[in-house]
Amino acid sequence: MALRLACGWLSVLAPMVLALSVVHPDGAGAAPRASELGPEIPMAEPSGGYVGRLTVTPDHGPVGTPLTVTGEGFPAGRDLQLVWRTVKGRWKVTIAEYHGREFIPVAYRIATVKSDANGRIAATFVAPEDYGFMHDIVVQQGDRLLTQTAFNLDMTVRLVGPGSGPVGTMIAVEVQGIGWRELEGSWVLLYDNKYTGFMSTVTTGGTARFDVPATGHAGRHILEILHTDFGSPYRNTQQ
């Protein structure tokens, strides 16, 4: 994300963030949180093999992406549950001890769909505000998992505060789709290649919001979001 500080004023230029998509404020659509897709239901397990085939289109995108799920090869005329799988996060701490982060698997029912006479199903929904990267979309019948596919929730960043202002202006930033797995959940902000802060989304479902003051000399300044391991940023040259 490139920023220019000129004559004491801040203006936004051609936003770019390493390994992220950039979402402008006027293009950001409202999306439900994962827990708002539907009621929490038990995690089903396969039994006697998988049944049917499931496809999601597109197979990746940011929060708010319209999704179409289609399937075939299911028993005809049956009520089936379409399910989004994710996790609930928490810090494992005591008064004096830190034991890491814990993420508990959870499933939310998106919809109940009925297969037609040929065993086909179809449904649409919106990619929820959730932890980023891979999520299972599952078709289950009762406590039996029939089949599943996967959707990759892209990580995005956008400015949600003023795009210009004098030195000291608070730059409001929102990052969505931060992951929870190893190598997906630890990210930091660098301002002019200087470590500025660690972003945590353990309990916020993949979304981080924070403010950074505009500082420094007149001219261009660079804000970068880089992968880290709790405060030790590094560059992935493949990205």
Side-chain angles (χ1 to χ4, degrees):
M1 185 181 300
L3 304 173
R4 182 178 296 277
L5 197 58
C7 301
W9 287 83
L10 177 72
S11 61
V12 180
L13 301 178
M16 296 178 63
V17 177
L18 186 65
L20 301 180
S21 299
V22 174
V23 178
H24 296 279
D26 57 0
R33 298 188 66 85
S35 59
E36 297 169 342
L37 286 174
E40 182 178 340
I41 62 174
M43 303 281 286
E45 296 291 339
S47 176
Y50 290 93
V51 176
R53 292 170 296 280
L54 195 65
T55 302
V56 60
T57 305
D59 60 6
H60 75 94
V63 171
T65 299
L67 304 180
T68 299
V69 178
T70 57
E72 60 182 4
F74 299 103
R78 299 291 181 86
D79 287 330
L80 307 173
Q81 296 181 89
L82 188 65
V83 176
W84 176 269
R85 287 189 170 185
T86 183
V87 294
K88 292 180 181 179
R90 72 181 186 95
W91 294 99
K92 296 174 65 178
V93 296
T94 68
I95 293 177
E97 297 177 326
Y98 168 70
H99 297 283
R101 297 173 281 189
E102 181 178 37
F103 297 95
I104 302 168
V106 64
Y108 297 106
R109 187 175 65 211
I110 301 166
T112 297
V113 295
K114 189 165 187 173
S115 56
D116 65 15
N118 296 311
R120 295 202 234 358
I121 62 171
T124 60
F125 68 104
V126 171
E129 181 180 344
D130 201 356
Y131 296 101
F133 301 88
M134 204 63 71
H135 288 271
D136 290 332
I137 300 174
V138 171
V139 173
Q140 63 188 61
Q141 187 176 28
D143 60 357
R144 182 186 180 189
L145 187 155
L146 300 183
T147 193
Q148 64 189 58
T149 187
F151 176 79
N152 194 83
L153 192 64
D154 293 344
M155 203 170 152
T156 61
V157 62
R158 68 184 181 117
L159 294 179
V160 294
S164 63
V167 172
T169 295
M170 299 306 292
I171 307 165
V173 181
E174 178 184 78
V175 184
Q176 290 186 322
I178 295 175
W180 63 272
R181 300 175 182 87
E182 289 293 330
L183 304 181
E184 297 175 353
S186 294
W187 300 81
V188 296
L189 176 73
L190 272 63
Y191 188 109
D192 286 350
N193 206 35
K194 296 181 177 65
Y195 174 80
T196 305
F198 168 77
M199 292 177 290
S200 167
T201 64
V202 174
T203 62
T204 59
T207 298
R209 298 180 179 92
F210 53 89
D211 296 328
V212 182
T215 62
H217 57 79
R220 171 169 282 205
H221 296 264
I222 303 296
L223 275 69
E224 295 177 275
I225 293 175
L226 299 182
H227 190 265
T228 180
D229 188 7
F230 275 97
S232 302
Y234 67 89
R235 295 179 185 272
N236 182 340
T237 55
Q238 295 183 40
Q239 296 177 342

